[in-house]
Amino acid sequence: MSTAEDVVRNLDSQKRWIGMGFESFDRDPSGVRNKLDRFKATVEDNLAVLGGDGAPAVVDARAYLAAQELLYTQKDAEMKADDSIRRAQNQLRYAENSLPNNVDSARRYIDEATKIADTFSNDPSYVALPVVQNFLPGFLAKLKEVTATVDKTALSAESENMVRQTRSYLRYVETALSGSYVNAESADRYLKDALKASQPLRDDPRYLVIDDVVACLNELKLKEPEYSQKIKSAMLAAAFDTDVQPARSARQRLDQIHDVSYHGADDCRRLAANLEKHLSNLQEKYSDLEAARIEISAMHRAIERVQKLLGDDAAAQKTAEAAKLALAAAAASKQQQQAEEAARAAAAA
């Protein structure tokens, strides 16, 4: 049976092993934990032999154990802090290395680094550690810097994509409005797509400090009214080409009249009146279309010719004036269009 002296010698021996364990704590923290647990068990198992709770040997052993437990807690926290510091630094390095090609991965690394920094700032077991106090300020500054870089890179990538889409749609508009066959409906759809693709760029001030974004929006600002006018004119021309068919048929019949006595004066007047009726509807609906005005003027001349054959000089004179007005309006419309194009070109320059 062990005596008090035997137990004390055993505890002293364990203290030496505990001291050596702390010297290599980083390599084997669980070994130190086991040694402390064994020391505690030895004291508690031999409490009676040592003289009970108030015995000097028991008091000393428990005081020693309390000090070692505190040391263990500190060293364990420091070891975990060192590990977390390494992980945090790695996360930032991974974030930087992910740029500029993989912004999503960079954000995930930033999130992980931020979580570690939050733990250091808020967990009482870390806040007071000198290693954390020395590390945290510089790390937070670096974290802020890398986060700003990631945000800027993400913003640039997002803007590049939207700028590319906007310019692609503008090219599609140009193609749809060029060549011998103009597709006004496609051009209109592509212009709306360009406006939609560029909407975030116009709404978010962060994009407006990027040179390529500003250039793209300026290009869109200049081209939108030009394309809108061309689309409107093309749609109007397509509608006119459909609506003018009855008038063209009426003119063809009128152009066949060369001898009033052969066709009959009443039939000649009826055909002329029929064409005039068509022209009245077309003039009201297509007053802004240059090509329509030119063709309407030519049709007035066809009516004028038949009216002269009929000897109705007053009506012929009135029709001739209408033809001149239509041509003058067409010329004015063309001049206005040329002036607008010149203004846009000057603004672009």
Side-chain angles (χ1 to χ4, degrees):
M1 183 176 180
S2 298
T3 64
E5 290 77 7
D6 293 333
V7 175
V8 170
R9 279 196 299 273
N10 185 6
L11 291 174
D12 287 341
S13 176
Q14 289 187 45
K15 288 178 182 180
R16 287 192 294 274
W17 284 105
I18 289 171
M20 287 187 289
F22 272 118
E23 290 175 2
S24 58
F25 183 88
D26 292 347
R27 292 195 297 272
D28 187 19
S30 62
V32 177
R33 178 71 267 162
N34 292 336
K35 290 179 177 63
L36 291 175
D37 291 343
R38 181 185 173 193
F39 186 92
K40 180 179 180 181
T42 300
V43 174
E44 299 304 325
D45 291 346
N46 293 279
L47 197 58
V49 175
L50 291 171
D53 287 331
V58 173
V59 173
D60 290 344
R62 286 176 171 169
Y64 168 81
L65 182 61
Q68 300 309 302
E69 288 285 4
L70 185 61
L71 180 61
Y72 177 88
T73 299
Q74 180 180 347
K75 283 191 169 294
D76 184 60
E78 289 175 349
M79 186 182 70
K80 291 178 179 176
D82 287 339
D83 181 64
S84 294
I85 286 172
R86 282 191 295 273
R87 287 194 297 111
Q89 290 171 329
N90 286 338
Q91 297 303 312
L92 275 191
R93 187 169 65 254
Y94 297 155
E96 289 180 299
N97 292 341
S98 296
L99 298 176
N101 298 324
N102 199 333
V103 173
D104 290 340
S105 292
R107 287 198 186 281
R108 287 196 294 271
Y109 293 132
I110 287 292
D111 289 343
E112 289 300 317
T114 301
K115 289 178 184 177
I116 296 171
D118 289 343
T119 300
F120 281 159
S121 299
N122 301 312
D123 190 329
S125 63
Y126 290 115
V127 171
L129 294 178
V131 65
V132 171
Q133 293 176 349
N134 292 333
F135 166 76
L136 195 55
F139 178 76
L140 289 176
K142 181 66 174 179
L143 177 61
K144 183 178 180 180
E145 175 187 331
V146 176
T147 300
T149 301
V150 170
D151 290 342
K152 183 178 179 180
T153 303
L155 199 69
S156 178
E158 292 166 3
S159 70
E160 285 177 7
N161 184 48
M162 287 184 280
V163 165
R164 184 166 52 251
Q165 285 184 333
T166 300
R167 285 177 169 155
S168 292
Y169 287 130
L170 288 178
R171 285 195 298 272
Y172 297 157
V173 175
E174 184 70 32
T175 300
L177 293 175
S178 303
S180 57
Y181 176 71
V182 173
N183 192 330
E185 290 185 359
S186 292
D188 185 54
R189 184 173 66 254
Y190 289 137
L191 183 57
K192 289 176 180 176
D193 287 339
L195 292 170
K196 182 178 180 182
S198 64
Q199 190 67 51
L201 298 175
R202 288 176 282 155
D203 291 345
D204 193 333
R206 295 178 302 163
Y207 292 118
L208 299 179
V209 299
I210 302 173
D211 291 342
D212 204 31
V213 171
V214 174
C216 176
L217 294 181
N218 285 339
E219 179 183 357
L220 179 62
K221 184 179 179 180
L222 288 171
K223 288 187 174 181
E224 181 192 358
E226 174 189 348
Y227 287 155
S228 294
Q229 182 59 46
K230 287 182 177 180
I231 290 168
K232 179 183 176 182
S233 296
M235 287 182 169
L236 205 61
F240 174 74
D241 196 51
T242 299
D243 290 348
V244 78
Q245 293 305 321
R248 285 173 178 169
S249 297
R251 179 186 173 176
Q252 285 178 352
R253 291 193 294 274
L254 208 61
D255 287 343
Q256 293 171 358
I257 298 174
H258 299 287
D259 185 347
V260 173
S261 61
Y262 176 80
H263 292 278
D266 289 342
D267 280 347
C268 290
R269 289 190 178 91
R270 179 178 56 80
L271 290 173
N274 183 44
L275 181 53
E276 281 185 311
K277 179 181 178 182
H278 287 304
L279 293 186
S280 176
N281 293 332
L282 292 172
Q283 285 180 138
E284 181 178 353
K285 190 172 181 181
Y286 298 103
S287 59
D288 293 334
L289 188 62
E290 179 191 358
R293 288 169 173 164
I294 292 173
E295 186 163 0
I296 288 170
S297 176
M299 289 182 179
H300 278 305
R301 290 298 184 184
I303 295 172
E304 177 193 1
R305 184 184 68 81
V306 172
Q307 287 171 336
K308 285 183 176 179
L309 288 176
L310 290 167
D312 193 348
D313 293 338
Q317 179 64 33
K318 184 177 179 182
T319 303
E321 290 298 325
K324 290 179 182 179
L325 288 173
L327 278 180
S333 176
K334 187 173 183 178
Q335 285 182 334
Q336 182 180 356
Q337 183 179 351
Q338 290 173 339
E340 290 174 354
E341 290 175 355
R344 284 193 291 269

